Amino acid sequence: MDQLGRILLIRGLNREIAVAKVMLPRGKHGLFINDQGQVDQERAEKELRANGTAIQPGLPVEITKITFKDHDMIFEINNGGKNHEHWYQHIQIGMGAGGMMQPLDPQQKRQNPIAYGSSITLTFKGGKVPELSVDEAKKLLSAALDFQRKLPTELYSSQVPEKFKEAIRKHEVLLGMDRDAVLSAKGAPFRKVRETKPTGEETEDWLYGLPPHVLFVTFSGDTVVNIHQY
């Protein structure tokens, strides 16, 4: 990608707001998406288990930095997943005749705040990063980010009960919600499991999170009939 292409992408995507469709892991590696727009699920699960979740599905996010490498484009989300230190936290000065070293920053000994951002890396195998328009980059990122649904649309519907609207604002699921309301509250599930009971009733479980903390949302038809948090 040439310099002009990079400038156009930065102008079009830096500070862009979207909604997370999947869990984004904490840590310096984040999520990886290939040039076909497919999430590396195995690597994602490994990062989530090792570092935990930084951003849950359904939450608004912001692209705060874009870095270009030979075969990759790295999109920093909500200031990234690494803990940040100030340059002066590494400086110490001598105090008194004994030469005892003291940190320049008196709060240096305190633990650095945990980062609650993440990153998404677009990987391009077999060659350098190609020329991409803003729309083409968004299409690849759409495996993890929804650029259309910047706010839960269910909040604006007069047909949605107020208690459901409040739950959506809190990213919670309630019995009686339909699928659109759950998507507005939690985003796309990590996995879906269908089951046919002996009575012939068909149910579908939407799973959020990874073991040991998994939320099961069970639908019968288009309605939530059971919620179970492990």
Side-chain angles (χ1 to χ4, degrees):
M1 177 178 291
D2 61 21
Q3 189 67 19
L4 177 59
R6 296 184 179 191
I7 291 173
L8 292 175
L9 273 183
I10 291 173
R11 286 179 178 175
L13 289 174
N14 196 38
R15 299 299 175 183
E16 179 73 1
I17 303 296
V19 172
K21 296 169 65 175
V22 298
M23 288 185 294
L24 298 179
R26 191 179 292 123
K28 64 180 181 179
H29 298 299
L31 197 74
F32 287 79
I33 299 175
N34 65 21
D35 52 10
Q36 301 300 310
Q38 300 168 331
V39 175
D40 187 335
Q41 295 288 359
E42 183 177 351
R43 192 165 185 176
E45 291 183 21
K46 181 179 178 180
E47 290 295 323
L48 287 166
R49 290 193 178 97
N51 301 309
T53 303
I55 300 166
Q56 292 285 352
L59 293 179
V61 299
E62 181 181 21
I63 296 174
T64 50
K65 185 179 179 181
I66 304 172
T67 302
F68 298 89
K69 295 189 175 182
D70 286 342
H71 305 287
D72 304 325
M73 291 173 56
I74 303 172
F75 295 82
E76 190 178 83
I77 307 297
N78 292 0
N79 296 311
K82 295 189 293 184
N83 296 337
H84 298 283
E85 296 180 338
H86 297 291
W87 60 269
Y88 51 76
Q89 288 181 284
H90 299 279
I91 298 178
Q92 293 184 330
I93 57 176
M95 298 292 290
M100 182 179 293
M101 302 299 290
Q102 294 290 337
L104 181 63
D105 177 12
Q107 297 184 351
Q108 179 177 333
K109 293 182 180 179
R110 297 183 183 179
Q111 184 177 1
N112 289 318
I114 297 175
Y116 286 97
S118 187
S119 63
I120 299 174
T121 300
L122 294 181
T123 61
F124 300 88
K125 293 183 178 180
K128 293 186 177 182
V129 175
E131 298 297 326
L132 287 176
S133 67
V134 171
D135 287 340
E136 288 170 334
K138 283 185 175 181
K139 185 176 181 180
L140 293 175
L141 291 170
S142 67
L145 302 178
D146 187 345
F147 292 96
Q148 303 299 320
R149 189 172 62 91
K150 296 185 179 181
L151 288 173
T153 55
E154 291 289 310
L155 292 178
Y156 300 101
S157 174
S158 59
Q159 299 178 351
V160 176
E162 188 59 37
K163 66 176 182 179
F164 287 172
K165 291 183 179 181
E166 184 62 26
I168 290 171
R169 293 188 187 98
K170 296 179 179 179
H171 305 288
E172 297 174 350
V173 179
L174 298 179
L175 294 174
M177 278 184 167
D178 61 17
R179 293 170 188 260
D180 286 340
V182 175
L183 285 171
S184 291
K186 301 293 289 183
F190 182 72
R191 184 173 299 171
K192 297 180 181 180
V193 179
R194 291 185 178 180
E195 180 183 3
T196 301
K197 296 185 177 181
T199 59
E201 179 188 9
E202 292 186 357
T203 61
E204 184 172 271
D205 288 321
W206 286 13
L207 280 61
Y208 293 91
L210 291 173
H213 305 294
V214 180
L215 174 67
F216 282 76
V217 179
T218 304
F219 290 90
S220 178
D222 193 43
T223 305
V224 176
V225 295
N226 190 36
I227 304 166
H228 192 85
Q229 176 74 64
Y230 286 93

